Amino acid sequence: MTTNTTPQTDAVKQAPRPTALLYAVIGGSLLTIVSAFLAWTWTDEFPGDLTYYGSPAPIQFLSLVAALLTAAHALSALGVKGLRWLTPTGARKPVWILSLGTLAGTWFTVLAIVWVLGGVVHLEPGAYVALVGSLIPALAAYKLPDDSHKAAPAKKLPSWAEIVIIAAAFAVGLFVITFGIDTDDKEPQLFVTYLIIVGFAAIALLKSGLFDRLGLLTANNRQVTLIGSAAAAIAFPFIQQSGDTYTLIAVNILIFATVALGLNVVVGLAGLLDLGYVAFLGVGAYAAALVSGSTASAFGFQLPFWAAVIVGALASLIFGVVIGAPTLRLRGDYLAIVTLGFGEIFRIAMGNLDGTSGPDITNGPNGIPNIPHLELFGWNFGESHNVGGIVLGAYANYYFLMLLVMALVILVFARAGNSRIGRAWVAIREDETAAEAMGINGFKVKLIAFALGATLAGLAGTVQAHVNSTVVPENYVFAGPVPPNSAFLLAAVILGGMGTIRGPILGAALLFLIPAKLAFLQDYQLLAFGIALILLMRFRPEGLIANKRAQLEFHDDTADQAPTDLATAKAGA
């Protein structure tokens, strides 16, 4: 009797033992952890001061955390009791991705030291230990056999345990976000390393199946999840150590994300490509500025904030209907060109209403400055306030206000998306001709989407006008170095995931925070932006957080599985 062997069988027999490879991953990770407690350079001229022994600098702390995660997942692959839950869908992919993240973050830091200080002579032994320690896990994890499999059903946990897990997840998320926002602008290397480590860690946790498990827990405990989300968001200003510096970034992220959610109604639900959406933000901001008591206002009176909000939202609503009514009979690229033209017309018109080229309403290119701070129920938003012994700056007041605005926008988006009109939007997006054949009034449905999206943008614009205390036409362009603008708003929706709530919020946060932290790359911002979109379209076209419909559309593997099943059946026969 002869035994037939195939090259694939021989390769499996000759492959190194996974146990040895996993021990190599753990050993290299331990070296990286040890290196974090050593000096990586002898001079404090490198930002962050990596000259201390026994006290990791923040940038070394990132390598330490990445190495800990890598070692923990490797131990899970070895079957260590208490850690098996880390890899419900297999260990090879998360271990390899985490080891690559550790390698990329550590090597970037060491190379940055060499570049900034001018040579390898500035490196201390700790840097060499870090280089070797981060390289070993990456090489060993690459050789690990693929053990990907469908995750087994999770064990049923007590209600209190699920709540503890959700609370811990929110606490970790709040710490990670705060760490990134609080990085010193004078240490761009730290933020780049942070992006590398967090990016690879997020992909690894996604591949391991932990995010899916957490998603099931949050779905089963919706009230706890909402309370945890609100508590984490409210706690952010209270844990800031640098005053209002980074709270302002958070406020602008919330404004950007709120406007992106409004655009998501138009693009994500109704499928209408709007390239001039930022103009609706400008309409709301200008309307609020004109009636909020600015010394440069042509109207010369001041309405209470609630009235100014209504004025801004109604002004954007009217502009949305006026622009949408004659143009929404167009489709595709033609509609995109018309909306792009509207955005440019708005910016130019605001610059010409200066009393010379047109009526004196907006003060022309100089804009409307000196917009007074809000005051609600005796609470002045422009002053610091002591809450529970913690001093909150002026921007913390606007932060809490924007949380309320975003909560309102999320509620409107969720209710509208799940309503009859929301289903009509989706039908129009998928196939307008078929939807109209089924009795849907396409023009009416699209006009409602356009008007609702414009109203939500105007609502955010009223707050933006008071936060910035000035409104100028240059803030509302199609594309520019500083978001929000129409290009970045559209990118936030596509990057995060069209038709979802969390997607545009995440996309807006990334697209605002990264340029704010990496100002030295401003000249190459659009280049990096384009490369990122190309990579996203190639590897995750449905967005970072996609709905189930998009995932099925872009990752339908039924066609690929049929030949494999047929080949398996023949082999078995």
Side-chain angles (χ1 to χ4, degrees), residues 16 27 102 110 158 187 195 220 248 276 411 474 490 506 517 540:
T102 307
V110 175
E187 300 181 26
L195 287 179
N220 294 331
L248 176 59
L411 179 64
E474 286 72 19
L490 185 61
L506 176 61
K517 288 294 184 179
R540 196 169 176 83

Side-chain angles (χ1 to χ4, degrees), residues 136-184:
I136 293 174
L139 296 177
Y142 178 74
K143 291 294 184 178
L144 286 172
D146 191 2
D147 61 346
S148 300
H149 58 271
K150 188 176 180 179
K155 294 181 179 180
K156 181 63 178 178
L157 297 174
S159 298
W160 66 266
E162 293 184 350
I163 294 174
V164 169
I165 292 174
I166 294 173
F170 277 115
V172 172
L174 179 61
F175 172 78
V176 171
I177 293 172
T178 304
F179 186 95
I181 293 179
D182 281 350
T183 53
D184 193 343

Side-chain angles (χ1 to χ4, degrees), residues 4-15:
N4 294 327
T5 60
T6 62
Q8 185 178 2
T9 306
D10 294 338
V12 172
K13 289 181 179 180
Q14 296 172 4

Side-chain angles (χ1 to χ4, degrees), residues 10-30:
D10 294 338
V12 172
K13 289 181 179 180
Q14 296 172 4
R17 291 179 60 192
T19 302
L21 293 174
L22 290 171
Y23 279 129
V25 171
I26 296 171
S29 300
L30 290 177

Side-chain angles (χ1 to χ4, degrees), residues 39-81:
W40 287 14
T41 180
W42 55 268
T43 174
D44 60 359
E45 294 181 3
F46 185 80
D49 195 356
L50 314 184
T51 61
Y52 290 97
Y53 284 84
S55 178
I59 201 167
Q60 294 171 305
F61 174 75
L62 292 172
S63 293
L64 185 152
V65 171
L68 279 174
L69 289 174
T70 306
H73 280 74
L75 290 171
S76 175
L78 285 173
V80 175
K81 189 175 181 180

